[in-house]
Amino acid sequence: MKGFAMLGLNKVGWIEKPTPAITAMDALVKPLAVSPCTSDVHTVWEGAIGDRHDLILGHEAVAEVVEVGSLVKDFKPGDKVIIPAITPYWETVESQMGYHQHSGGMLLGWQFSNVRDGVFGEYFQVIQADGNLALLPDNVTVEEGVMLSDMVPTGFHGADNAEVAYGETVAVIGIGPVGLMAVAGANLRGAARIFAVGSRELCQKVSKLYGATDLINYKKGDVVGQIKEATHGKPVDKVIIAGGTMEAFEWALKLVRPAGIISNINYLGSGEYFKVNRVDWGLGMGHIKIVGGLMPGGRKNMEYLSNLLKYKKLDVSHLLTHRFKGFGHIEEGLLLMKDKPKELIKPVVTI
Ligand code: NDP
Ligand code: ZN
């Protein structure tokens, strides 16, 4: 079969590989729609997870089941399924502790295009199909469904980890597709005021559709100053970091209230450290939590998040700015994600 792969650091291309073999609990699926991700860009062009050779890229897909192992109970060939970016083994100690994202070791619930071939192949293997697949609701398109693989669960994880509550003020730093879903998640959880920090006009406009109340352009002045001016010097309750550099942590510490939460979902692809200012962190006694999380995957999360689309509580179509038809367009989509033209939020390729 053909697949679009990382050939090595800074190198991508099409390769031939054998169709993957499955075991008794797995499914073999073929993609119906895929979406390239900023994380693929960190992986290839920043070497964020180290060097990889001939590793098929991609972790966001809606697919059709082609074959299932003998122990798979709930899925059959022909089913249209949502593929979560995170597809862990569910029996590990880490999964039992509630952190399936790290099943088997740090970040190892992230299997696709990390420890096994990703979804940019003509076929791919999903381990533990009953635990990791979810049926795509009939009234959700395959293109919208792909946003459930990663963008929705990651953004919402940012809002969940920030423990956003009714009436709170939240700053979301970075409003690409992930940050936009963090805005939507914070809004659904009841935030009253949401600062959306980005510079591209389209993302700013879309952030308003998802619940942002205040737009901050980081290219037009100091972010902390602009937000503090709008709040008359008051701190915000929570900060969600979904883009930018390590400096965002310094801003967040200056913005957040005592006992507030800084929730990072940004993939820190380069640089080594971020700074924690002693005074901003309450001299070490401010009860300010800094938490960073990989999105939760698996069947239950996909089923519940897809309900939001099924019952029209969340419209992900605003994210889909570039639509391609045909497997061959994956490369174009990925290069768009790398170059981030101003009219781009998210590309999707239907197959
Ligand atoms: P985008 O590149 O589309 O968006 C990044 C956002 O950050 C944009 O709004 C951009 O603004 C803003 N930004 C860029 N530079 C700065 C800066 N110096 N200061 C402030 N803001 C800045 O990325 P995505 O939304 O696709 O992804 C966001 C991150 O989430 C990525 O690192 C991705 O790898 C990661 N991710 C994490 C996952 C997880 O499980 N935790 C899963 C999936 C993705 P503008 O472009 O408007 O100038
Ligand atoms: Zn992704």
Side-chain angles (χ1 to χ4, degrees), residues 203-283:
C203 294
Q204 290 187 329
K205 201 172 109 201
V206 171
S207 76
K208 287 223 149 182
L209 301 177
Y210 287 126
T213 51
D214 297 72
L215 305 179
I216 301 292
N217 187 336
Y218 67 93
K219 290 188 178 161
K220 294 207 170 142
D222 162 43
V223 168
V224 176
Q226 291 184 69
I227 294 179
K228 283 278 177 84
E229 192 187 328
T231 62
H232 305 292
K234 278 182 130 185
V236 302
D237 295 291
K238 311 287 168 60
V239 180
I240 302 172
I241 302 177
T245 64
M246 305 278 223
E247 206 190 344
F249 289 92
E250 292 172 56
W251 300 343
L253 276 166
K254 290 196 188 304
L255 285 169
V256 80
R257 65 163 157 82
I261 300 176
I262 298 167
S263 165
N264 179 75
I265 40 176
N266 196 18
Y267 177 159
L268 305 179
S270 55
E272 271 193 81
Y273 303 101
F274 61 80
K275 289 189 199 151
V276 175
N277 179 282
R278 176 178 61 85
V279 176
D280 294 336
W281 203 41
L283 310 178

Side-chain angles (χ1 to χ4, degrees), residues 22-26 67-73 130:
I22 59 166
T23 66
M25 291 171 80
D26 303 346
E67 187 190 334
V68 293
S70 59
L71 296 177
V72 174
K73 294 193 287 290
D130 281 330

Side-chain angles (χ1 to χ4, degrees), residues 28-87:
L28 182 73
V29 305
K30 62 174 185 187
L32 298 172
V34 299
S35 185
C37 178
T38 306
S39 301
D40 294 307
V41 174
H42 291 302
T43 299
V44 176
W45 287 282
E46 288 171 13
I49 54 171
D51 206 354
R52 296 285 196 280
H53 291 273
D54 296 345
L55 177 78
I56 295 179
L57 289 164
H59 51 265
E60 301 180 15
V62 163
E64 182 182 317
V65 176
V66 174
E67 187 190 334
V68 293
S70 59
L71 296 177
V72 174
K73 294 193 287 290
D74 298 334
F75 297 92
K76 57 181 188 319
D79 284 346
K80 260 188 210 173
V81 288
I82 305 160
I83 309 294
I86 303 307
T87 53

